[in-house]
Amino acid sequence: MAPAVLLRAAVCVTGRFPALAGVDLVVAQGHVVVLEGPNGAGKTSLLRVCAGLLSLTGGQASILGCDLGRDRAAVRRRVGMLGHAAALYDDLTVAENVRFAVRAAGGTASGTDAALDRLELGGRLRRTPVGRLSAGQRRRVALAVLVARRPELWLLDEPHAGLDAGARAVLGEIVADVAASGATVLLASHEPEESLPLADRVVSLAGGRVVGERALRAMPQGPGAADAPDAGAPAAGAPDGGVRRDVVPGGVHVA
């Protein structure tokens, strides 16, 4: 089975600058991979490429077996992305937002109630217009959409932002359940104390390129694992522990 994410020399130019400057990345299905790096490293752009929201200027991208160079829209119903801003309608209630988002993605809304309960959005909150919610509550609604949709690939951009301690714990449980079900999670985060305990593997980005990788635990052998390189084994020329450090050409400016 094809890897969940396969990028080869992926280049993405936004405006005048390369947001991705030749990314090589393989993620097997059922894995949880954390993207780390400073602001401007290319983490958000990488997630948006995987979601079919940004087109490649060069290289190749295959997501869940779909060639994004041919059809970026083909993968969108199979992928769920949590970005910095939740795509919610202020005048709809919490429950209406979740049901609408799930149906718009081609799913059924049968899992709405369970998703709302899991994110502690039941009772009065489910009938509250989203425009009256706090930032943290809106974040939980956006997560409830993904829980109800059950995408094959979860793309989470700073998912802990705005969540209290209880919601962060629930997020950790959700990520573990997602991976156990065979789905894949690609998570970008500036909070290693929150994100690394969830991960099988960490990929470091800088200047729009992958500059290092390390395995945090034995990699699960789920579908697609045979198609991916052994992230737990040291790369050629790398020190023990599997950390790979590639040279990044100077002068790359990332927006």
Side-chain angles (χ1 to χ4, degrees), residues 55-177:
S55 60
L56 290 184
T57 307
Q60 300 175 337
S62 175
I63 303 300
L64 300 170
C66 298
D67 184 351
L68 298 191
R70 296 183 177 180
D71 186 1
R72 286 191 291 130
V75 77
R76 290 179 186 169
R77 290 191 173 186
R78 302 171 64 190
V79 170
M81 181 166 179
L82 177 70
H84 292 287
L88 303 172
Y89 294 92
D90 286 352
D91 54 338
L92 297 182
T93 68
V94 167
E96 288 169 343
N97 264 282
V98 174
R99 284 195 295 267
F100 177 82
V102 171
R103 288 171 177 160
T108 63
S110 59
T112 297
D113 289 342
L116 293 176
D117 289 341
R118 186 157 198 188
L119 273 301
E120 299 181 353
L121 293 167
R124 178 183 56 83
L125 274 176
R126 63 177 286 119
R127 300 185 296 274
T128 301
V130 162
R132 294 169 53 188
L133 300 182
S134 67
Q137 289 170 330
R138 292 174 67 94
R139 197 71 166 166
R140 283 192 277 142
V141 176
L143 279 168
V145 170
L146 294 186
V147 172
R149 277 190 57 198
R150 294 178 292 183
E152 298 171 56
L153 174 61
W154 293 50
L155 305 169
L156 307 179
D157 197 357
E158 302 294 343
H160 299 98
L163 298 181
D164 59 23
R168 290 182 175 210
V170 171
L171 174 61
E173 295 170 0
I174 290 170
V175 169
D177 290 349

